[in-house]
Amino acid sequence: MHSTKQKLLKSLLCLGIICSVSPVFAQESPVKGLVRDVSGQPLPGVTVKAENENTRKTAVTTSSSKGLFSFNGLAMGGPYRFIFTSIGYQADTLSGYTLTAGQQVALNIKLKEQSNALQEVTIGYGKSKRNQITGSVTSIKQDEFNRGVVSSPGQLLQGKVAGLNITRSGNPNDKPAVILRGPSSFREGAQEPFYVIDGVPGASIDLVAPDDIVSMEVLKDASSTAIYGSRAANGVIMIVTRNAGKGLGKLSYSAYAASESISNSIQMATGDQLRTYLKDNGKVLDKVSDNGSNTNWLDEVTRTGFSHNHNLNFNGGGENSSYGASLNYLDNQGIIKTSGLERFIARANMEQRLFDNRLKLNINLTNSNTTNDRIAPQVYNNMFTYLPTVGVYNADGTFYEDPTRTTGTGGYYNPVALLENNTYQGKTNLYLINGSAKVNILNGLDFNAMVSMQSEQINENLYNNRYSMLKQGFNGYAERSSIKNTQKVFEGYFNYDKNFGDHGLKLLAGYSWQENRNGDGFQTSGQNFVSDDLLWNNIGLSNGNGSTVVNYGSIYISTLRLISFYGRAIYDYKGKYLLQATIRRDGSSAFGVNNRWGMFPSVSAGWNIDRESFMSNVSFVDNLKLRAGYGVSGNSVGFDAYTARLVYGAQSGSYFYSNGKWLTAIGPIQNDNPNLKWERTATVNIGLDFSLFKNKLSGTLDFYNKKTTDLIAPYQVSTTQYPFNVLTANVGEMTNKGIELSLNTTPVKTNNFSWNTAINLSHNKNEITSISNDLFQANEFYTANVGGRGQSGALGYQVIKEGLPLGTFYTLRYAGKDANGKSTFYDKNGVASTANTGFEHFTVTGSAQPKLLYGWNNTFRYKQFDFNFFIRGVYGNKILNATIADMNAPIYAFQTNIAAQTLTESINDDKAQFVSDRYLESGSYLRLDNATLGYTFKIKGTKTLRVYASGNNLFIITKYKGVDPEINMAGQTPGIDYRNFYPKTRSAIFGLNFNL
């Protein structure tokens, strides 16, 4: 009773206060209101813009935690319109309000949740609502990104987009390999999508902190990508970052700390196991190779890595200007000692609106500084194969080494000494400035201009100290290089957007100019230092030895220019029938003089079936769109100003006598090819977008046929016709055919609880259809010559051949052991013998291309708790486990360590390590990639604090016997695990997000 009386008194007191101040409130706030959702719940954080329809002056505010808002200082008169926008809700407008002194305007509005069909999607040179898009585009928003220790934006999309295959190792310095809808080039590094960041084509993704990304759009088919012409054959990824804000200043801070450890390893023999194995077979290690130790070298070179990330963002704005700034710091410590990545990114942007919003000016500044601490590549092999029967150190504290075996750079080295005696560090400073202007010339007609300059300074440093086995006798060796790359871009284009009754028309016409100047720098080296203390910091202190040759490297300057003209027309009738056509004409200085210009057209159509009259009674269908398109795009990745030109260089083994000395001869090292041009990819895409049961179930189904022609490859030619014996030419053809399915559903949604689940599936079939033409003939190319100890004569362990996919394995066929425990192999007739090891017995044994990629995401929310888990995987591919093959060498057990599984092999088997289909393993896996539990504290108004705990790579189901089945699928030789794999990590993460 007492409590009830207190509550009544408090209510009466509050009512009295409201009544007493209401005249004042009415005087100061002529407009106030309430924003709610369709269920009547208040919506906080809604942006409300008041615009005078005559003067076009605006004011902006946001709704409170109770959905309330108000405006102060609005000029009397009008008419005014009030525009309400919020992420996840359909924008709405209230119009026709006139303000009169002494009278208050009260607004009350309910916002509807935004269906997928109405969401805005970024496309080339503009935006469009999803129900107006006729191409295949997947949009991933910030709350859908992968969580974890992310050093590259590409990791945010891993497993999230149907048809997008992203693989990465545990190395913080390695960028993930990204392939969309299968490989479409033979060339290394030429299969990655083209990136456009905030409208800047080709900007480096290292400029963007993952926390600053708002959305990423993946443009898949040529009808979507052809607007980027000669660079878009591998797809386009559009990245949109936080831009200048509006309204009151907002401050947000996010941070996490993570602990990472090795998730899996190869079980190697211990020192005692190796001694017993040799003893049982009548062999013994010499004294240099056995001092009684029992060393686990993997434990000696690895550690628990600790990482932390911090991101601070501030933005706001007034009536005619807005601003934003962010700082990001990442320290990602690698699990192999001395490796790691440190990055600092600072961004600032500003927007100014002039002449009643008819002119908008934007300027963006970004600077990224990255330090990469790397390790000697020989560590990867030796941390497994170095003999466990010796210790890390000698009795005098120096590192144990066997100098008789440490010759060259691929030999037998103490892995701990490799880390301590060799220092590799790279520093990259990236700077991007871009500005844009948008002029509203007439109603519906805008002109946009954008200019940008990106500067990249790369400094690489190496020091092998006086104890390094990699540079024996050099008494300290230093090497430094400094390279500057610059990219300048200008874009100017007109946009026309107008509706004529039932007809809608959007037109785009533009011009683009780009210049890339790369390799502006030098390299030098020095040796024989008095002290190791200065590392590479003063090469002038090196002394040489009288015959020292300075390593100047092969750095050279090249300038590449690209000029383009492009246009696009989009037409819709009553929102039912959609038609789009684009064309781009590109000219590039990289290609032959006969083929410097190329045309890249596309056409696509869409039908919003749900808007037809015959669908009016089909209540369970919210959106249903059929679309089809065809287009052509190109691939010019990896080309510079000299790719198609005759190049001269040093002729190894050729000398001429001059002035009493023999000098290295100069001669042709690359042929001129005036007909060289970009690879072209033509894509047919048919898709269906749907949303059902009041948007509880939505999805996309796509079928595509992608054909790439003019594939570039090196061909042997006669030196009677050409100065050099190899010519780079356009010859091959390749196809990728596939199907993609994405589904998103919310089975349960109440006021307190919701469950959202999304799944994506994709199947792709890759086939090489030609590697010859009238001028150049080839039956096959052999690649992936990883080698096998004692195995000679192999030209490669993969084959490029017509009718086969890229990444086809070409190996011996293992037939088991004979009576003496020796490995046997089949010949072409199926007869087994230990002698069948020649290359003539090699045959096709499998493919690295997966049959299925999948991802499954689940998000649960209960009041202020949220829980998410994400599963992804691959099915149907093969991996050549050349690492295990190399370690399964019983005949070499007295020279290097062996895998634990080798302890059951006969020590007399001198071919157990030969690469064959014995080591061709299933690459299929299912991985619980992430699980996150969070809780959000509502502090005051729109202020929130979210804390969370997350785990990455929690478990994996696979039959693969190597370190991890997530092997790099990019390049010419996908699916090979060969002694160079940085171990995958398992991480525990604790973080927070604070919004003020």
Side-chain angles (χ1 to χ4, degrees):
M1 180 67 72
H2 180 70
S3 176
T4 304
K5 287 182 178 180
Q6 278 188 331
K7 290 181 179 178
L8 181 60
L9 288 172
K10 288 180 179 179
S11 300
L12 291 172
L13 180 61
C14 290
L15 180 61
I17 293 172
I18 292 172
C19 292
S20 65
V21 302
S22 60
V24 178
F25 181 77
Q27 184 177 4
E28 294 182 353
S29 302
V31 178
K32 66 177 184 178
L34 172 66
V35 188
R36 295 175 292 172
D37 62 18
V38 291
S39 67
Q41 297 296 313
L43 283 178
V46 176
T47 299
V48 187
K49 182 170 73 171
E51 182 181 88
N52 190 311
E53 296 183 45
N54 286 331
T55 65
R56 302 190 72 173
K57 290 188 176 181
T58 62
V60 178
T61 187
T62 56
S63 61
S64 68
S65 61
K66 295 182 179 179
L68 299 172
F69 67 91
S70 62
F71 284 96
N72 297 319
L74 291 179
M76 296 299 104
Y80 279 90
R81 61 182 175 189
F82 299 91
I83 304 167
F84 301 82
T85 56
S86 181
I87 296 175
Y89 291 86
Q90 296 180 31
D92 207 346
T93 302
L94 298 176
S95 303
Y97 291 87
T98 302
L99 304 186
T100 305
Q103 295 184 7
Q104 190 177 71
V105 174
L107 304 176
N108 193 331
I109 192 169
K110 291 183 178 181
L111 297 184
K112 297 179 181 179
E113 287 193 37
Q114 192 174 50
S115 69
N116 289 335
L118 296 177
Q119 289 179 358
E120 272 199 333
V121 175
T122 301
I123 57 175
Y125 306 102
K127 292 184 177 182
S128 181
K129 285 192 169 54
R130 179 162 291 281
N131 63 359
Q132 297 176 329
I133 292 175
T134 55
S136 181
V137 180
T138 298
S139 180
I140 303 296
K141 303 302 182 184
Q142 191 173 36
D143 59 353
E144 301 172 287
F145 291 156
N146 289 322
R147 301 302 173 192
V149 182
V150 176
S151 58
S152 175
Q155 296 168 231
L156 300 174
L157 296 177
Q158 195 168 27
K160 297 289 186 178
V161 179
L164 188 66
N165 191 359
I166 300 177
T167 55
R168 64 180 291 262
S169 72
N171 192 341
N173 295 305
D174 284 350
K175 291 182 174 64
V178 184
I179 298 178
L180 179 64
R181 290 184 167 182
S184 54
S185 179
F186 294 151
R187 297 174 291 124
E188 297 287 341
Q191 297 172 356
E192 189 166 3
F194 183 64
Y195 292 92
V196 179
I197 302 174
D198 291 331
V200 180
S204 171
I205 60 172
D206 290 334
L207 281 161
V208 185
D211 291 296
D212 285 335
I213 298 177
V214 174
S215 68
M216 299 175 77
E217 270 75 38
V218 182
L219 282 56
K220 298 180 180 180
D221 65 331
S223 63
S224 303
T225 64
I227 196 67
Y228 286 105
S230 63
R231 297 168 290 179
N234 299 322
V236 177
I237 296 181
M238 314 280 295
I239 298 178
V240 179
T241 65
R242 299 185 193 184
N243 50 25
K246 297 179 180 180
L248 299 175
K250 296 179 182 179
L251 178 67
S252 64
Y253 170 72
S254 60
Y256 66 75
S259 170
E260 294 186 276
S261 58
I262 188 169
S263 60
N264 188 35
S265 181
I266 298 172
Q267 189 66 36
M268 303 299 293
T270 66
D272 290 338
Q273 287 175 327
L274 185 61
R275 292 185 191 96
T276 301
Y277 177 72
L278 292 171
K279 181 180 178 181
D280 292 344
N281 287 278
K283 296 184 181 295
V284 64
L285 293 167
D286 58 37
K287 292 182 179 181
V288 175
S289 301
D290 187 2
N291 61 12
S293 297
N294 207 25
T295 305
N296 186 319
W297 290 102
L298 185 63
D299 287 348
E300 294 292 338
V301 300
T302 58
R303 64 186 173 189
T304 298
F306 293 97
S307 303
H308 56 102
N309 180 80
H310 307 269
N311 196 87
L312 183 67
N313 182 276
F314 181 69
N315 62 60
E319 182 177 343
N320 292 313
S321 62
S322 50
Y323 56 86
S326 69
L327 298 174
N328 181 265
Y329 176 76
L330 170 65
D331 184 5
N332 188 183
Q333 191 180 69
I335 60 169
I336 294 183
K337 295 174 182 177
T338 74
S339 67
L341 176 146
E342 184 180 36
R343 177 176 293 154
F344 181 80
I345 300 176
R347 301 177 68 243
N349 50 75
M350 185 179 72
E351 179 181 288
Q352 182 68 40
R353 298 174 289 278
L354 303 166
F355 308 116
D356 295 331
N357 289 331
R358 288 191 177 274
L359 173 63
K360 293 182 181 180
L361 301 175
N362 284 274
I363 187 168
N364 299 274
L365 302 171
T366 307
N367 183 240
S368 170
N369 280 280
T370 304
T371 300
N372 306 99
D373 291 317
R374 306 187 184 97
I375 61 174
Q378 293 84 358
V379 172
Y380 297 120
N381 182 43
N382 282 277
M383 67 184 185
F384 290 114
T385 59
Y386 207 76
L387 286 172
T389 51
V390 296
V392 179
Y393 302 99
N394 295 311
D396 60 1
T398 59
F399 286 110
Y400 170 85
E401 294 281 10
D402 184 355
T404 63
R405 299 175 60 189
T406 54
T407 56
T409 58
Y412 179 74
Y413 304 96
N414 182 325
V416 178
L418 284 171
L419 296 178
E420 296 296 329
N421 293 335
N422 306 281
T423 307
Y424 298 80
Q425 186 182 84
K427 290 189 175 183
T428 302
N429 183 14
L430 269 166
Y431 180 79
L432 173 68
I433 178 170
N434 65 290
S436 64
K438 181 179 180 180
V439 184
N440 179 220
I441 302 173
L442 298 170
N443 186 21
L445 177 63
D446 297 327
F447 175 73
N448 298 267
M450 186 277 294
V451 61
S452 73
M453 189 186 80
Q454 177 178 288
S455 176
E456 181 182 40
Q457 180 67 46
I458 303 173
N459 296 326
E460 293 289 342
N461 305 305
L462 174 154
Y463 190 76
N464 310 116
N465 69 21
R466 66 191 64 252
Y467 306 108
S468 172
M469 293 294 104
L470 299 180
K471 292 291 184 180
Q472 297 177 49
F474 280 68
N475 203 31
Y477 174 83
E479 191 173 282
R480 300 198 72 175
S481 66
S482 179
I483 303 171
K484 185 177 182 179
N485 303 319
T486 58
Q487 174 180 285
K488 300 174 184 177
V489 178
F490 170 76
E491 298 266 7
Y493 56 94
F494 290 91
N495 264 323
Y496 180 72
D497 188 349
K498 196 73 172 177
N499 291 319
F500 305 92
D502 293 333
H503 306 273
L505 183 64
K506 294 181 180 181
L507 300 176
L508 166 73
Y511 167 82
S512 176
W513 176 91
Q514 180 172 329
E515 179 183 273
N516 290 8
R517 180 178 171 86
N518 296 328
D520 187 358
F522 64 92
Q523 177 177 305
T524 188
S525 67
Q527 66 186 67
N528 195 15
F529 290 86
V530 176
S531 170
D532 291 323
D533 292 340
L534 293 179
L535 299 177
W536 52 73
N537 290 299
N538 194 337
I539 295 185
L541 295 177
S542 63
N543 296 288
N545 59 10
S547 60
T548 300
V549 177
V550 176
N551 184 358
Y552 292 113
S554 57
I555 300 170
Y556 58 88
I557 295 176
S558 68
T559 301
L560 175 68
R561 293 186 180 90
L562 181 72
I563 295 176
S564 307
F565 302 90
Y566 51 87
R568 178 174 62 208
I570 302 175
Y571 169 78
D572 80 86
Y573 176 68
K574 291 185 176 182
K576 296 180 184 180
Y577 313 113
L578 313 170
L579 183 65
Q580 174 179 300
T582 68
I583 191 166
R584 183 167 180 131
R585 180 169 171 79
D586 279 345
S588 172
S589 62
F591 295 93
V593 293
N594 298 334
N595 280 311
R596 287 192 168 167
W597 288 90
M599 196 76 76
F600 302 95
S602 77
V603 62
S604 57
W607 178 26
N608 280 312
I609 305 172
D610 59 279
R611 299 195 177 188
E612 296 288 356
S613 58
F614 61 78
M615 294 291 293
S616 59
N617 295 323
V618 186
S619 58
F620 69 90
V621 176
D622 303 303
N623 302 105
L624 183 63
K625 180 176 65 177
L626 179 66
R627 49 186 167 75
Y630 170 82
V632 179
S633 51
N635 184 5
S636 60
V637 176
F639 289 89
D640 61 28
Y642 306 111
T643 300
R645 298 188 178 185
L646 180 65
V647 176
Y648 287 83
Q651 299 289 295
S652 178
S654 296
Y655 304 92
F656 67 94
Y657 191 77
S658 175
N659 198 24
K661 295 182 180 180
W662 286 99
L663 303 178
T664 302
I666 300 296
I669 59 173
Q670 177 180 289
N671 286 315
D672 173 46
N673 185 352
N675 296 314
L676 188 67
K677 57 185 177 181
W678 33 62
E679 299 167 336
R680 295 171 63 89
T681 297
T683 305
V684 175
N685 194 100
I686 299 174
L688 184 70
D689 302 328
F690 57 89
S691 180
L692 311 173
F693 310 114
K694 296 183 179 179
N695 297 315
K696 286 189 175 181
L697 173 64
S698 60
T700 297
L701 179 65
D702 275 287
F703 300 88
Y704 63 87
N705 186 347
K706 188 170 75 167
K707 182 177 181 180
T708 304
T709 58
D710 298 323
L711 285 171
I712 297 169
Y715 281 79
Q716 294 289 326
V717 292
S718 171
T719 53
T720 61
Q721 293 179 287
Y722 296 92
F724 190 60
N725 63 349
V726 175
L727 178 68
T728 301
N730 301 95
V731 178
E733 295 182 2
M734 184 188 300
T735 62
N736 287 277
K737 300 176 182 178
I739 180 173
E740 299 167 349
L741 174 66
S742 299
L743 293 174
N744 188 301
T745 181
T746 306
V748 181
K749 186 174 184 180
T750 66
N751 289 337
N752 293 327
F753 178 76
S754 67
W755 169 32
N756 176 265
T757 183
I759 188 170
N760 68 81
L761 307 166
S762 61
H763 165 72
N764 181 77
K765 182 181 179 182
N766 173 266
E767 182 182 350
I768 299 165
T769 55
S770 175
I771 55 173
S772 299
N773 63 13
D774 294 339
L775 296 177
F776 305 101
Q777 301 293 319
N779 294 321
E780 63 270 321
F781 297 110
Y782 297 107
T783 63
N785 193 359
V786 295
R789 284 196 278 182
Q791 190 172 6
S792 60
L795 301 180
Y797 297 98
Q798 285 186 344
V799 62
I800 294 176
K801 189 174 184 178
E802 293 179 7
L804 299 175
L806 186 68
T808 295
F809 294 106
Y810 196 73
T811 69
L812 295 170
R813 289 186 298 153
Y814 181 65
K817 306 278 189 176
D818 65 9
N820 298 316
K822 291 191 174 185
S823 295
T824 63
F825 306 92
Y826 291 112
D827 63 12
K828 296 289 186 180
N829 299 317
V831 178
S833 170
T834 58
N836 295 332
T837 59
F839 192 63
E840 68 275 12
H841 299 299
F842 280 42
T843 189
V844 171
T845 49
S847 170
Q849 298 299 330
K851 296 178 181 177
L852 180 69
L853 304 175
Y854 59 90
W856 182 33
N857 188 67
N858 288 271
T859 301
F860 302 87
R861 300 185 187 277
Y862 175 69
K863 294 185 176 180
Q864 289 163 257
F865 286 96
D866 62 87
F867 175 68
N868 172 271
F869 72 87
F870 176 55
I871 290 173
R872 64 179 174 87
V874 171
Y875 170 77
N877 63 309
K878 294 292 185 180
I879 296 174
L880 179 59
N881 195 342
T883 300
I884 286 291
D886 186 74
M887 296 171 183
N888 187 41
I891 194 173
Y892 297 111
F894 58 91
Q895 294 181 352
T896 60
N897 197 17
I898 55 177
Q901 70 182 58
T902 310
L903 298 172
T904 61
E905 304 261 346
S906 169
I907 201 168
N908 297 316
D909 190 354
D910 58 349
K911 298 179 178 63
Q913 73 281 4
F914 278 24
V915 176
S916 68
D917 62 353
R918 177 186 184 184
Y919 302 106
L920 208 59
E921 302 180 28
S922 169
S924 302
Y925 67 86
L926 181 149
R927 189 193 307 275
L928 178 56
D929 206 47
N930 177 271
T932 301
L933 177 64
Y935 184 83
T936 301
F937 297 91
K938 296 181 179 179
I939 302 173
K940 184 180 179 181
T942 60
K943 301 178 179 67
T944 60
L945 170 64
R946 179 177 179 266
V947 294
Y948 64 91
S950 182
N952 276 13
N953 190 20
L954 296 175
F955 71 76
I956 184 170
I957 299 173
T958 183
K959 294 181 180 179
Y960 186 61
K961 298 175 184 177
V963 175
D964 196 281
E966 191 175 310
I967 300 297
N968 191 329
M969 290 298 296
Q972 193 180 72
T973 57
I976 294 181
D977 181 353
Y978 185 57
R979 300 190 305 178
N980 59 355
F981 191 74
Y982 195 106
K984 288 279 288 185
T985 63
R986 179 169 291 121
S987 57
I989 304 161
F990 299 92
L992 60 87
N993 305 101
F994 191 29
N995 296 301
L996 292 176

